[in-house]
Amino acid sequence: MFSDQDLIWMQRALALAKESANRQEVPVGAVLVLDEKIIAEGRNCPISTCDPSAHAEMVALRQGAKNINNYRLVNSTLYVTLEPCVMCVGALIHARIKRVVFGAADPKAGAVTSVFQLGAAHQFNHRIVYEGGLLAQQCGQVLSDFFKAKRA
């Protein structure tokens, strides 16, 4: 199911998530890959940027589009430590992302498989291949540890 390369990209996304936690942001990281090269990275930063749309996925999409000078990110793969939300799935569809690999499921706001199944919605004119569960335990643990520390 997942390749060795998938694992490498997700490990990088996990490192970005940990950077977010160190900056007191919800720890989510994302890596955007095209032609086996990272074209963009993102980490959650809505608090520090005062931008509710500054999710890791959105940051990576914006950076990737600028880096290739095209708002269509055709044939790219996004690796993200947490299942994308409704906003992020919408942006992924509009960007024409080919594939999304996520770590932990999000039972509260996940829009791929958990709460909504937008990836399977036939109403959209673009389909994204979704695969979840890569390093799920590690990705989920970073989130659990972060919120446990916040409550302490």
Side-chain angles (χ1 to χ4, degrees):
M1 180 172 165
F2 296 113
S3 71
D4 291 342
Q5 201 61 51
D6 289 335
L7 183 61
I8 290 168
W9 302 132
M10 185 60 81
Q11 287 170 332
R12 177 62 189 145
L14 192 52
L16 291 164
K18 290 174 183 176
E19 286 180 25
S20 288
N22 291 338
R23 295 174 180 181
Q24 299 306 305
E25 299 273 4
V26 175
V28 179
V31 173
L32 187 61
V33 174
L34 179 64
D35 298 328
E36 298 300 317
K37 290 183 259 178
I38 294 176
I39 62 166
E41 297 180 335
R43 58 175 179 71
N44 260 14
C45 57
I47 297 166
S48 62
T49 61
C50 296
D51 178 357
S53 71
H55 290 192
E57 301 95 320
M58 301 294 284
V59 172
L61 289 176
R62 288 181 190 126
Q63 186 184 85
K66 283 183 182 176
N67 287 345
I68 68 166
N69 199 33
N70 192 338
Y71 76 108
R72 298 285 196 218
L73 297 161
V74 178
N75 295 320
S76 63
T77 298
L78 182 78
Y79 296 86
V80 61
T81 57
L82 182 64
E83 178 183 0
C85 70
V86 171
M87 173 184 69
C88 292
V89 171
L92 295 167
I93 290 168
H94 286 290
R96 303 298 193 261
I97 298 293
K98 181 177 183 177
R99 179 176 176 237
V100 172
V101 177
F102 65 90
D106 185 350
K108 293 183 180 179
V112 177
T113 59
S114 296
V115 178
F116 302 103
Q117 294 78 41
L118 294 179
H122 67 276
Q123 293 89 346
F124 297 116
N125 63 348
H126 177 70
R127 304 283 184 282
I128 299 174
V129 175
Y130 292 100
E131 298 176 76
L134 180 58
L135 298 180
Q137 194 280 326
Q138 295 94 319
C139 293
Q141 193 64 53
V142 169
L143 287 157
S144 295
D145 292 348
F146 175 81
F147 287 112
K148 185 177 180 181
K150 281 281 196 199
R151 289 188 295 271

